[in-house]
Amino acid sequence: MDKKTVTIKDIARMLGISKSTVSRALSGRSDIHPETKQKIMALASELHYEPNALAINLKQQKTNTIGVIIPETMNRFFAHAVGGIQKVSDMAGVNVMICQSNESYISEKNNLHSLVSSRVDGLIVSISRETDRTDHFKPIIDRGIPMVFFDRICQDIDASQVYTDNYEIAFEGTEHLILQGYRRIAFVAGPQHLFNSRNRLQGYVDALKKHNLPVRESYIVHSHYRSDKVEEYTRYLMQLPQRPDAVFAINDYAAIEMMHIMKKSGLKIPDDIAFLGFNNESMCRFVEPPLSSIDHPAHDMGAAAAEILITQIRHQNLKPENRIIKSKLVIRESTGAKQVL
Amino acid sequence: MDKKTVTIKDIARMLGISKSTVSRALSGRSDIHPETKQKIMALASELHYEPNALAINLKQQKTNTIGVIIPETMNRFFAHAVGGIQKVSDMAGVNVMICQSNESYISEKNNLHSLVSSRVDGLIVSISRETDRTDHFKPIIDRGIPMVFFDRICQDIDASQVYTDNYEIAFEGTEHLILQGYRRIAFVAGPQHLFNSRNRLQGYVDALKKHNLPVRESYIVHSHYRSDKVEEYTRYLMQLPQRPDAVFAINDYAAIEMMHIMKKSGLKIPDDIAFLGFNNESMCRFVEPPLSSIDHPAHDMGAAAAEILITQIRHQNLKPENRIIKSKLVIRESTGAKQVL
DNA sequence: ACCGTTCCCGGGAACGGTCCCGTGAAAATA
DNA sequence: TATTTTCACGGGACCGTTCCCGGGAACGGT
């Protein structure tokens, strides 16, 4: 019934010894008589002693904790990336603090300050869709705090980056649609200040060019990653004079919802129109028809980011590393060959 | 290029004043000359001073942070619950540290100690599927640290609880199937040491009894929440001499995968067999046919848990509160009326 | 008997803040 | 002018640890 939390000093007092000795016993250092250690350990566990991490971290000048800032925890891609981060961190015995920016620049900045204030040993960041500058990261990197960006990276900054071969895979996906016989391929793009989105769009454009297909502005939809706009731009695409016969969407959610709307309007998939998504969410397998998608290695990216960060924390002054994780095109029925009329 | 992090003492030295004064300026207290304050603030922002949260929290004996332990961040239910927690916490200006137990008792215990060591002001917990005892929570509650359990709650402990009306909604769901004409209703149950799972199963059983239907053990599958067993028990149910004509599954993932397997085997849904899930995941709308489900108010539960916890932190010694959040049956085509032969 | 080691342990500064208390000067009041 | 009040700031203990340093006891070797 003692509301007071027990400290090392309490244990010392109760045992009539100094706090130095207690500290030695609890932190498993040498220079301690086995019997004394035994007594200390026994009392500590009896009193449910919990070391004060704040005091330890303050004294040690490190927290054994890494900070993670992602746009959204509810987004499956980031949830899986966090899974990868956690897995690697757990094995290395480091703690993880997760913050979400809710796709807001202000929140991202607040999270950043909060984590730095908590003296995390390093940071893993995937920037928000609003973030179009990097001045908030600069002073932190200058301070020597290791930092790794992943997926939504920041090119113009001197830090490690983990990302996928967006250009190549977008090219490959588009080419797949072309080879299946589709010619009027629409593209649902992400925010163009993001490195990823730009690269994906470029991959799409270049694949069209390679096959001498026209690049029509009207076929490129700017979704800004907003799920509440899907219906709007789906209707837009459907009522174009030359309706697209394929859609390459920035993520599976958009693709699935578009597919659903078009199906209800009587279009046959993949005969009338094909769909290709991004992320390879588990539900791709279960929708009708199963959705082809780009397998975006979220878990591996998170794991890679954590690996790089932890080695950078352990070995000072390593130079930034860029690591590219390969994506994979997963073909299902939604991009089955176009019906030849 | 100064690797050293700047402290309050550095600022004091550079300005030729005492650290007390600097502290007063930065923490926005009174008793400070405006001009002095101005100078301090200017230098602080120039040097990118970041207060050391460890030192502050150590001195203040509180961290303004709550700890959250959930089984899995990748699980959409918990991801949404965390969303609710974050929302309420953000508005109240408190930080959130999230840990996942990976459905393991050991990890849960480690997370708990880690958070208590970090001196969180309170805890929100949803226990792992392995956790069948509560002795690790007791000493923490005795210490006076506020704690709120949600969804996967711990009945035999003197702490606040937030959960849904599992019994009632399972009853209602089962009754819905019966009223639609289904008679041989299988149930995919969760681990029976969990309060929720027991209540849901009981609701199912009582609904059958109310309508004078037999409760057959062979129709009750124990999934232990393991997604890798779905195919196995689906096959089991399909080859029963009296194949079920409806399945009430513990979650949507299981329901959707079962539906997929049965469809491939040529069964018609909902004519041959109906499906009812749990959680109302977004993909329920997009599968074929759309899956009826129980809308489990994840976000609201998280928000409620955070609300209760924060008021308990702010006002000492409140008595534990139990809050029940209502679930809702969402009817779609997968439980359309049974074909009358 | 003396000295060097080894083994345990205690004292106390330090980590970076907060906050109580004290104090000198200026301002207000008598 | 003398006294009180206000204002602005400094000194220093404290939060709970770690860790360096120093020292006494026991012990072995000469």
Side-chain angles (χ1 to χ4, degrees):
Chain A
M1 201 50 66
D2 65 317
K3 291 289 189 178
K4 184 80 170 52
T5 58
V6 33
T7 73
I8 226 172
K9 211 189 295 179
D10 298 326
I11 297 180
R13 192 169 24 74
M14 294 173 75
L15 254 43
I17 56 180
S18 80
K19 62 194 168 82
S20 307
T21 306
V22 179
S23 168
R24 261 189 291 262
L26 293 172
S27 52
R29 230 170 300 281
S30 55
D31 253 28
I32 176 101
H33 193 87
E35 196 180 328
T36 314
K37 181 169 179 175
Q38 185 54 38
K39 255 189 276 187
I40 294 171
M41 300 300 268
L43 185 57
S45 85
E46 187 193 341
L47 298 178
H48 295 111
Y49 167 76
E50 299 270 4
N52 187 322
L54 298 169
I56 296 173
N57 293 338
L58 175 62
K59 176 64 184 162
Q60 313 264 13
Q61 295 287 71
K62 59 172 183 161
T63 54
N64 204 33
T65 299
I66 62 176
V68 176
I69 304 177
I70 52 173
E72 273 254 332
T73 50
M74 281 182 246
N75 180 312
R76 274 187 82 82
F77 172 75
F78 291 113
H80 277 81
V82 168
I85 292 171
Q86 297 249 23
K87 189 171 172 188
V88 170
S89 301
D90 280 356
M91 297 209 337
V94 328
N95 298 107
V96 179
M97 279 187 66
I98 303 159
C99 295
Q100 61 178 337
S101 63
N102 291 313
E103 298 283 14
S104 139
Y105 170 74
I106 302 288
S107 289
E108 180 177 294
K109 204 167 167 177
N110 288 341
N111 289 334
L112 196 62
H113 285 111
S114 163
L115 290 171
V116 171
S117 262
S118 300
R119 295 296 187 266
V120 291
D121 296 338
L123 286 161
I124 296 178
V125 179
S126 200
I127 63 174
S128 87
R129 70 174 169 217
E130 273 181 29
T131 304
D132 51 4
R133 52 196 178 290
T134 60
D135 45 301
H136 49 318
F137 296 124
K138 292 271 171 63
I140 293 169
I141 291 182
D142 288 347
R143 222 188 271 293
I145 299 177
M147 209 156 147
V148 177
F149 291 88
F150 81 97
D151 193 57
R152 303 251 200 103
I153 64 177
C154 259
Q155 324 163 251
D156 56 341
I157 211 165
D158 189 37
S160 296
Q161 317 273 3
V162 176
Y163 51 97
T164 54
D165 50 346
N166 285 287
Y167 174 85
E168 288 79 2
I169 200 68
F171 190 100
E172 187 180 335
T174 309
E175 195 162 44
H176 164 66
L177 289 168
I178 296 170
L179 296 178
Q180 290 290 86
Y182 301 99
R183 290 291 172 269
R184 301 188 308 278
I185 302 171
F187 191 81
V188 179
Q192 287 303 296
H193 61 270
L194 295 180
F195 182 69
N196 282 350
S197 302
R198 272 205 308 281
N199 280 344
R200 291 181 191 174
L201 180 57
Q202 196 59 49
Y204 157 79
V205 167
D206 288 357
L208 290 183
K209 283 183 181 165
K210 177 185 169 192
H211 291 272
N212 295 317
L213 291 173
V215 178
R216 304 185 227 201
E217 273 303 323
S218 58
Y219 279 6
I220 299 172
V221 171
H222 292 279
S223 74
H224 303 288
Y225 280 151
R226 295 196 43 177
S227 56
D228 54 339
K229 297 283 184 191
V230 178
E231 180 141 9
E232 186 179 315
Y233 58 71
T234 305
R235 302 255 169 246
Y236 158 76
L237 287 175
M238 285 174 66
Q239 68 189 16
L240 282 178
Q242 289 248 357
R243 182 179 54 69
D245 60 3
V247 177
F248 192 174
I250 200 71
N251 60 53
D252 291 329
Y253 288 101
I256 288 174
E257 192 162 347
M258 291 177 82
M259 216 160 86
H260 189 68
I261 295 170
M262 296 216 186
K263 261 166 64 182
K264 281 205 300 190
S265 302
L267 292 176
K268 296 280 173 257
I269 302 164
D271 297 338
D272 297 330
I273 187 162
F275 281 93
L276 177 54
F278 233 104
N279 281 1
N280 197 25
E281 310 266 0
S282 60
M283 64 175 127
C284 290
R285 289 165 45 219
F286 300 122
V287 292
E288 193 63 44
L291 179 65
S292 298
S293 188
I294 307 295
D295 187 44
H296 212 190
H299 188 276
D300 294 349
M301 289 178 75
E307 269 173 34
I308 293 174
L309 183 64
I310 289 172
T311 59
Q312 258 168 16
I313 289 171
R314 305 227 163 133
H315 312 85
Q316 297 291 14
N317 292 340
L318 291 180
K319 51 176 172 294
E321 175 181 349
N322 278 19
R323 195 177 302 180
I324 298 176
I325 312 280
K326 285 220 173 293
S327 298
K328 214 171 59 203
L329 176 61
V330 179
I331 298 173
R332 299 197 181 88
E333 296 166 32
S334 71
T335 56
K338 183 177 169 71
Q339 192 86 333
V340 181
L341 300 176
Chain B
M1 202 49 66
D2 66 315
K3 292 289 186 179
K4 184 79 171 49
T5 58
V6 33
T7 73
I8 225 172
K9 212 188 295 180
D10 298 325
I11 297 179
R13 192 169 23 75
M14 294 173 76
L15 253 43
I17 55 180
S18 80
K19 64 193 170 86
S20 308
T21 307
V22 179
S23 169
R24 263 189 291 260
L26 293 172
S27 52
R29 231 170 300 280
S30 56
D31 254 27
I32 177 102
H33 193 85
E35 196 180 327
T36 314
K37 180 169 180 175
Q38 185 54 38
K39 255 189 276 188
I40 293 171
M41 299 300 268
L43 185 57
S45 85
E46 187 193 341
L47 298 178
H48 296 111
Y49 167 76
E50 299 271 2
N52 187 323
L54 298 170
I56 296 173
N57 293 337
L58 175 61
K59 175 64 185 167
Q60 314 264 13
Q61 295 287 70
K62 58 174 183 158
T63 54
N64 204 32
T65 299
I66 62 176
V68 177
I69 303 178
I70 52 173
E72 272 255 331
T73 50
M74 282 183 247
N75 180 313
R76 275 187 82 83
F77 172 76
F78 291 113
H80 277 81
V82 168
I85 292 171
Q86 297 248 22
K87 190 172 172 188
V88 171
S89 301
D90 280 357
M91 297 211 335
V94 328
N95 298 107
V96 180
M97 279 188 65
I98 302 158
C99 295
Q100 60 178 338
S101 63
N102 291 312
E103 298 282 14
S104 138
Y105 169 75
I106 301 288
S107 289
E108 180 177 293
K109 204 167 167 178
N110 288 340
N111 289 334
L112 196 62
H113 285 112
S114 163
L115 290 171
V116 171
S117 262
S118 299
R119 296 296 187 266
V120 291
D121 296 338
L123 286 161
I124 295 179
V125 179
S126 200
I127 63 174
S128 88
R129 70 174 169 215
E130 274 182 27
T131 303
D132 51 5
R133 53 196 178 291
T134 61
D135 45 301
H136 49 318
F137 296 124
K138 292 270 171 62
I140 293 170
I141 291 180
D142 288 347
R143 221 188 271 294
I145 299 177
M147 209 155 148
V148 177
F149 291 88
F150 80 97
D151 194 57
R152 304 252 199 102
I153 65 176
C154 258
Q155 326 164 249
D156 56 341
I157 211 165
D158 190 36
S160 296
Q161 317 273 4
V162 175
Y163 51 97
T164 53
D165 51 345
N166 284 287
Y167 174 85
E168 289 79 3
I169 200 69
F171 190 100
E172 186 181 335
T174 309
E175 194 162 45
H176 164 66
L177 289 167
I178 296 170
L179 295 177
Q180 290 291 85
Y182 302 99
R183 290 291 173 268
R184 301 189 307 279
I185 302 171
F187 191 81
V188 179
Q192 287 303 295
H193 61 270
L194 295 180
F195 182 68
N196 282 350
S197 301
R198 271 205 309 281
N199 280 344
R200 291 181 191 174
L201 180 57
Q202 196 59 49
Y204 157 79
V205 167
D206 288 358
L208 290 183
K209 284 184 181 164
K210 178 185 168 192
H211 291 271
N212 295 318
L213 291 173
V215 178
R216 306 183 224 201
E217 273 302 323
S218 58
Y219 279 8
I220 298 173
V221 171
H222 292 278
S223 74
H224 302 287
Y225 280 151
R226 295 197 42 178
S227 57
D228 53 339
K229 297 284 183 192
V230 178
E231 181 142 7
E232 186 179 313
Y233 59 70
T234 306
R235 302 255 169 246
Y236 158 76
L237 288 175
M238 284 174 66
Q239 67 188 15
L240 282 178
Q242 288 249 356
R243 181 178 54 69
D245 60 3
V247 177
F248 192 175
I250 199 74
N251 59 53
D252 292 330
Y253 288 101
I256 288 175
E257 193 162 348
M258 291 177 81
M259 215 160 87
H260 189 68
I261 295 171
M262 296 217 185
K263 261 167 63 181
K264 281 204 299 189
S265 302
L267 292 176
K268 296 282 173 255
I269 303 163
D271 296 338
D272 296 330
I273 187 162
F275 281 92
L276 177 54
F278 232 105
N279 281 3
N280 196 25
E281 310 265 359
S282 60
M283 65 175 128
C284 290
R285 289 165 47 219
F286 300 122
V287 292
E288 193 63 44
L291 178 66
S292 298
S293 189
I294 307 295
D295 187 44
H296 213 189
H299 189 276
D300 294 350
M301 289 179 74
E307 269 173 34
I308 293 174
L309 183 64
I310 290 172
T311 60
Q312 258 168 17
I313 290 171
R314 305 227 163 134
H315 311 85
Q316 297 290 17
N317 291 342
L318 291 179
K319 51 177 172 295
E321 174 180 349
N322 277 20
R323 195 177 303 180
I324 297 175
I325 312 279
K326 285 220 172 294
S327 298
K328 215 173 57 204
L329 176 61
V330 179
I331 298 173
R332 299 197 181 87
E333 297 167 31
S334 71
T335 55
K338 183 178 169 70
Q339 192 86 332
V340 182
L341 298 177

